[in-house]
């Protein structure tokens, strides 16, 4: 989990992780969805943070991955970014 003190004040935090953890307050054997970021601690520091569940969807995840491919292609010397994206 990403801790609140790891986050720069005012940062935008996009939590795309989804994990199930026990939720005994909901009943025996029940679970709840949480992200990879400690939401309570991070929300005190971050300027903006996405909740889990309900924060991001498939389009956000796809665009994050596309931007990762573009960044990797640029880092590797430019390359043909359009070709790299077409392989997704």
């Amino acid at each position: 989990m990403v801790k609140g003190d790891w986050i720069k004040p005012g940062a935008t935090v996009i939590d795309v992780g989804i994990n199930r953890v026990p939720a005994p307050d909901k009943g025996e054997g029940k679970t709840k969805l949480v992200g990879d970021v400690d939401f309570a601690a991070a929300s005190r520091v971050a300027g903006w943070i996405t909740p889990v569940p309900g924060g991001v969807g498939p389009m956000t995840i796809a665009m994050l991955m596309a931007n990762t491919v573009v960044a990797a292609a640029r880092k590797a010397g430019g390359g043909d970014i359009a070709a790299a994206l077409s392989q997704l």
Side-chain angles (χ1 to χ4, degrees), residues 3-87:
K3 306 205 182 316
D5 60 353
W6 296 359
I7 298 169
K8 183 178 177 180
T12 298
V13 179
I14 303 172
D15 190 350
V16 296
I18 296 177
N19 304 289
R20 286 211 171 266
V21 296
D25 56 311
K26 292 185 174 185
E28 182 68 30
K30 298 291 184 175
T31 62
K32 65 179 178 178
L33 284 176
V34 297
D36 290 335
V37 177
D38 180 357
F39 188 85
S43 63
R44 291 190 293 270
V45 180
W48 190 81
I49 185 170
T50 59
V52 174
V56 299
M59 189 62 191
T60 302
I61 295 167
M63 293 310 300
L64 287 169
M65 291 306 299
N67 287 337
T68 301
V69 170
V70 168
R74 288 179 179 163
K75 179 77 173 173
D80 187 351
I81 296 170
L85 286 174
S86 71
Q87 299 301 311

